[in-house]
């Protein structure tokens, strides 16, 4: 007798028991038996296949689905096909998933979940036209009146908006965003997308209120990239950057070794979407081939496959390695970069379009730098530096950046000099009147702002017959601009729209313009440089933010600073005047033509050398010195970087500066950068240093015309990237061991907050003058004791100890300038104020050795100088921080206060007549200081 087979019912009960006990192998065996008989219920099929997929058995689960589909007759076949498609998507079997989802839709065309999943898959496969059609069909199938359909409606609308925007169907995308926000106004990312779409179409105001969303709500939802085009307020731009999803998410664990790597060459990685069509890609096209291959190994990382301009075919061979990150997640991409041990990763997008800041968030490299793509702070904690120049990012903007600025000497923007400018076509062929004055702005439509457009319309009204030549790539944009012109009383025919052309034709056509008008609050950048390259003068209005100052940087670097204006009225008047004075405009064009190949703006090889110097200064880890290729004086990048600042002016001879620079170059300390800032009008000092600049990459020379001595020193500080700061005035001589001996104390004793040495005073011939160190032996002095000496001495201790040339300071203690103490800047007592700022709770190491020498500080020349000095001496005493940490003895404090008040009062008594006729604000400061001092003096003890 043979044993009877188990019944379907008993095997189903056993399957349910095995599933409940999580006996996956036994459950799968039973499920295959039941599926082969066509009796496996679909709920058990879906549940078991899901468990198998999570257990890494996706292939076996797919076999079960296929078996079930072959052997089962069921009205729910569409559900099995759909769930099989989802399983295949999770296993990254995209082609198989598409077939399964289409099979589900063939059985049940109104199956919304399958259609929406198919749309998601088509997006992932970059089948954007197909995805858009799928999302549109899904949206048409959803019943908007059904209460449960709202989440599906929102998902479908958001997907239509996203894909339509990718295909540049901006009106459809904008409409989908608006409909989605009507269903749920609390979608900040959709609100940000809606704002961006309106910017792209010049649909003003871009933050027009929607039901449930006031204008203020919308402006607070704007993306960081959109905010650059809306607001010139650096604080608003930083706030928008902090709203970015990458900055709201928890910071992932860093992948890179913070100490860096050991390589023979520095590995520099450039992160760009395509190295093809993006503005940053066009600007950097010549960069990669100009790097010095004996010191640098160049990597390119990109994620878009298309080479729409053909530029990547030219760029990629200039790199040592070009690595595609196309199908990788941010984490996978960061892990790939980490695997290549990139020393410095340079991001060319930031929070701008096509950027992937999530890669940076994973800290793929020990040092990460932002450049070009987003001219503002990203607020990404893992982005260490942002490249800048002194015009686009002056010291007052530092508080609006989470990144530390790295300063290029002339202009932050790089350019491709290999672009030919062919013969200009005729005006008639471009739709331009032959005799009209042609203003132009070929910026992206998103950079056009209504306030700036209003200025342009006033210019057109004041220049009869003139036209404004614009780049607008769609009819909706052109229509919106025509309507805006009519609202300003300007005939729409005075706007001429240029179609898109390849680079060569675009540059040739640009020559037809008479004057290029820059945009605000987001300056033209690449488009502005294109105009200058084509020989068209640029007029700009320098705003407050980095983005608003790019045009000014370009013009300063090409020697046309008079075209940088500071107010909308001046900008308008200058444009009108130039239009009415063809001879003046012709002179500007001739100067521009002469300067193009002689000034720093388009000197790309020089910019690359400066960039490489910065890379060497901020790199971590070590460079391997092997064989004959080892550099004789290669920096030891494992050491902290020391910046030696050398301010100079027309008061210094070229020989004096040369002496100081050579002694700085002779330092035995293994890692120094030397920054010369020349505020003079003469070029003689730069010429004197020409050979040294070529031979020593750690030496940088910068022009800072017309700055006074204090501001020039602060300009040096702005350009410095070192963790420690030393100062060497032109004419000083530095002992070769100066930096090594002073750094020893910082590296050995953590409690040290300030290191000072004696500076031997010398006469004009370099002969020693009388003088002696403050202390006879190397000494560690408590901060409170030393501060007491500095505060109580009239002259002497402060002069001996606190000259900037005597100090080695931590960069973090200095802030934006020398002489800051408790939020106030001191100019006459800058050294004392700087010392006081770091001495609370820390010690000072004093070295009596004459580690440098130079001319003694000049005494005050005028009574007014003495009065300002006396005023600052009093103001230092008034700080509560001073009394709490340094002058806690009330009797001592009041005795000193009475003495200082008497000195200031005597100076006022001697000069009251001149003071009464002088600066009102200065007089009010003197009066306030006297009032405050006498109030403190007469305060009862203990009060």
């Amino acid at each position: 007798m043979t044993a009877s087979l188990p019944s379907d019912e008993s095997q189903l009960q056993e399957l349910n028991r095995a599933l409940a006990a999580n006996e996956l192998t036994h459950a799968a065996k039973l499920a295959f038996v039941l599926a082969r008989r066509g009796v496996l219920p679909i709920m058990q099929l879906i549940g078991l296949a899901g468990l198998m997929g999570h257990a890494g058995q996706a292939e076996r689960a797919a076999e079960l689905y296929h078996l079930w589909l072959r052997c089962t007759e069921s009205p729910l076949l569409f559900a099995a096909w759909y769930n099989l498609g989802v399983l295949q998507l999770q296993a990254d079997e995209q082609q198989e998933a598409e077939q399964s989802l289409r099979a589900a839709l063939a059985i049940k065309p109104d199956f919304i979940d399958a259609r929406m999943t198919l749309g998601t898959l088509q997006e992932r496969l970059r089948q954007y036209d197909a995805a858009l059609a799928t999302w549109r069909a899904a949206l048409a199938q959803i019943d908007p009146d059904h209460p449960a359909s709202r989440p599906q409606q929102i998902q479908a609308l958001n997907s239509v908006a996203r894909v339509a925007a990718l295909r540049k169907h901006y009106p459809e995308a904008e409409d989908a965003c608006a409909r989605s926000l009507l269903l749920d106004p609390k979608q900040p990312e959709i609100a940000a997308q809606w704002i961006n779409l309106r910017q792209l179409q010049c649909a003003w105001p871009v933050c027009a209120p929607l039901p449930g969303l006031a204008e203020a709500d919308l402006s607070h939802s704007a993306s960081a990239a959109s905010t650059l085009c809306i607001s010139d307020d650096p604080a608003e731009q930083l706030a928008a950057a902090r709203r970015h999803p990458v900055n709201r998410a928890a910071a992932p664990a860093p992948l890179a070794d913070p100490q860096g790597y050991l390589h023979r060459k520095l590995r520099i990685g450039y992160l760009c979407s395509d190295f093809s069509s993006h503005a940053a890609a066009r600007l950097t096209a010549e960069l990669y081939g100009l790097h010095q291959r004996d010191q640098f190994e160049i990597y390119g990382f990109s994620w878009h496959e298309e080479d729409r301009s053909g530029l990547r075919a030219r760029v990629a061979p200039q790199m040592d390695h070009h690595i595609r990150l196309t199908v990788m997640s941010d984490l996978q991409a960061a892990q790939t970069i980490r695997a290549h041990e990139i020393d410095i990763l340079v991001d060319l997008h930031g929070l701008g379009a096509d950027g992937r800041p999530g890669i940076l968030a994973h800290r793929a490299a020990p040092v990460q730098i932002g450049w070009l793509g987003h001219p503002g702070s990203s607020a990404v904690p893992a982005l260490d530096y942002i490249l800048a120049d002194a015009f686009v990012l002056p010291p007052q903007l530092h508080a609006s950046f989470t990144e530390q600025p790295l300063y290029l000497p002339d202009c932050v923007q790089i350019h491709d000099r290999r672009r030919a400018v062919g013969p200009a076509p005729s005006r008639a062929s471009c739709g331009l009147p032959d005799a009209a004055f042609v203003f132009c702005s070929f910026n992206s439509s998103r950079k056009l702002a209504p306030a700036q457009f209003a200025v342009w319309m006033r210019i057109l009204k004041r220049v009869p017959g003139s036209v404004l030549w614009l780049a607008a790539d769609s009819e909706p944009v052109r229509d919106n601009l025509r309507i805006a012109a009519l609202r300003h009383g300007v005939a729409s025919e005075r706007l001429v729209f240029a179609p898109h052309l390849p680079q060569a034709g675009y540059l040739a056509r640009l020559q037809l313009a008479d004057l290029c008008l820059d945009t605000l609050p987001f300056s033209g950048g690449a488009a502005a440089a294109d105009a200058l390259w084509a020989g068209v003068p640029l007029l700009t209005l320098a705003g407050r933010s980095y983005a608003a100052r790019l045009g000014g940087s370009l013009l300063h670097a090409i020697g046309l600073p008079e075209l940088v204006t500071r107010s909308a009225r001046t900008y308008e008047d200058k444009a009108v005047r130039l239009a009415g004075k063809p001879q003046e405009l012709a002179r500007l064009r001739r100067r521009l033509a002469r300067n193009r190949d002689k000034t720093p703006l388009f000197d790309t090889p020089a910019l690359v050398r400066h960039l490489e110097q910065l890379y060497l200064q901020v790199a971590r880890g070590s460079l391997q010195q092997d064989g004959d290729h080892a550099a004789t004086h290669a920096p030891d990048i494992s050491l902290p970087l020391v910046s030696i600042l050398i301010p100079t002016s027309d008061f210094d001879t070229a020989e004096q500066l040369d002496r100081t620079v050579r002694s700085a170059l002779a330092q035995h300390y293994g890692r120094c950068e030397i920054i010369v800032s020349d505020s003079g009008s003469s070029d003689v000092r730069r010429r004197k240093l020409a050979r040294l600049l070529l031979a020593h990459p750690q030496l940088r020379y910068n022009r800072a015309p017309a700055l006074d001595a204090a501001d020039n020193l602060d300009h040096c500080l702005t350009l410095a990237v070192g963790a420690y700061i030393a100062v060497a005035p032109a004419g000083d001589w530095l002992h070769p061991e100066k930096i090594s001996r002073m750094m020893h104390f910082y590296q050995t004793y953590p409690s040290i907050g300030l290191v000072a040495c004696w500076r031997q005073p010398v006469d004009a011939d370099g002969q020693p003058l009388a003088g002696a160190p403050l202390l006879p032996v190397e000494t560690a002095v408590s901060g409170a004791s030393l501060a007491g000496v500095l505060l109580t001495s009239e002259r002497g201790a402060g002069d001996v100890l606190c000259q900037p040339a005597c100090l080695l300071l931590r960069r973090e203690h200095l802030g934006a300038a020398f002489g800051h103490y408790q939020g106030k800047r001191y100019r006459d007592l800058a050294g004392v104020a700087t010392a006081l700022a770091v001495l609370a709770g820390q010690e000072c190491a004093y070295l009596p050795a004459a580690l440098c020498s130079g001319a003694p500080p000049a005494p005050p020349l005028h009574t007014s100088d003495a009065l300002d000095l006396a005023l600052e001496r009093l103001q230092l005493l008034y700080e509560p921080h001073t009394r709490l940490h340094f002058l806690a003895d009330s009797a001592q404090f009041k005795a000193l206060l009475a003495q200082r008040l008497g000195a200031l009062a005597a100076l006022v008594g001697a000069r009251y007549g001149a003071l009464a006729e002088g600066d009102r604000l200065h007089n009010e400061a003197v009066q306030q200081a006297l009032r405050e001092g006498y109030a403190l003096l007469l305060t009862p003890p203990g009060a």
Side-chain angles (χ1 to χ4, degrees), residues 189-440:
E189 291 185 22
I190 302 304
Q193 184 182 3
W194 183 74
I195 290 168
N196 181 56
L197 288 163
R198 288 179 65 80
Q199 286 178 320
L200 289 168
Q201 300 174 88
C202 297
W204 300 329
V206 293
C207 294
L210 288 170
L213 281 170
E215 185 174 349
D217 299 325
L218 285 165
S219 63
H220 290 147
S221 298
S223 70
S226 290
T227 301
L228 295 182
C229 304
I230 294 172
S231 172
D232 188 27
D233 184 345
E236 283 187 31
Q237 294 177 0
L238 178 59
R242 285 178 166 147
R243 291 194 297 266
H244 193 283
V246 77
N247 290 323
R248 294 203 306 267
L255 297 177
D257 185 343
Q259 303 305 315
Y261 311 109
L262 175 63
H263 295 144
R264 194 177 68 80
K265 303 177 185 179
L266 270 185
R267 297 181 184 178
I268 309 297
Y270 289 96
L271 198 60
C272 183
S273 60
D274 58 11
F275 292 109
S276 173
S277 59
H278 192 272
R282 295 195 302 272
L283 290 170
T284 58
E286 193 180 1
L287 161 70
Y288 314 103
L290 291 174
H291 276 300
Q292 298 179 97
R293 289 312 202 267
D294 59 336
Q295 288 184 290
F296 300 94
E297 189 172 358
I298 305 304
Y299 289 71
F301 298 94
S302 63
W303 49 89
H304 285 177
E305 288 295 334
E306 307 95 299
D307 187 10
R308 285 166 283 184
S309 68
L311 185 64
R312 190 166 61 209
R314 171 190 157 200
V315 167
Q318 299 180 46
M319 299 171 176
D320 298 302
H321 313 274
H322 179 216
I323 295 150
R324 309 278 177 94
L325 309 174
T326 307
V327 297
M328 300 183 192
S329 68
D330 287 344
L331 174 58
Q332 291 168 330
Q335 289 170 333
T336 299
I337 295 168
R338 168 62 182 87
H340 286 280
E341 291 191 353
I342 299 301
D343 293 298
I344 297 175
L345 184 62
V346 183
D347 176 41
L348 300 179
H349 289 286
L351 304 182
D354 292 328
R356 291 183 63 178
I359 296 175
L360 300 172
H362 287 283
R363 175 62 76 177
V367 176
Q368 300 190 144
I369 300 173
W371 190 25
L372 295 175
H374 183 77
S377 179
S378 70
V380 175
L383 199 62
D384 306 293
Y385 301 97
I386 184 168
L387 284 166
D389 60 57
F391 188 86
V392 296
L393 212 168
Q396 58 266 32
L397 286 186
H398 285 190
S400 299
F401 282 78
T402 58
E403 305 89 344
Q404 181 179 341
L406 281 181
Y407 285 94
L408 289 162
D410 299 297
C411 182
V412 68
Q413 190 165 297
I414 194 170
H415 304 94
D416 176 12
R417 302 166 307 153
R418 292 178 59 186
R419 299 175 302 159
V421 182
S426 69
R427 280 194 168 188
S429 68
C430 297
L432 295 169
D434 283 334
F437 190 93
V438 177
F439 297 102
C440 79

Side-chain angles (χ1 to χ4, degrees), residues 29 52 65 67 95 100 251 261 272 325 558 716 719 768 807 829 920 926:
K29 182 177 179 181
M52 294 170 73
Y65 268 120
L67 178 63
Q95 301 300 329
S100 298
Y261 311 109
C272 183
L325 309 174
I558 205 166
C716 279
L719 299 171
L807 306 177
L829 293 174
R920 179 178 59 83
V926 172

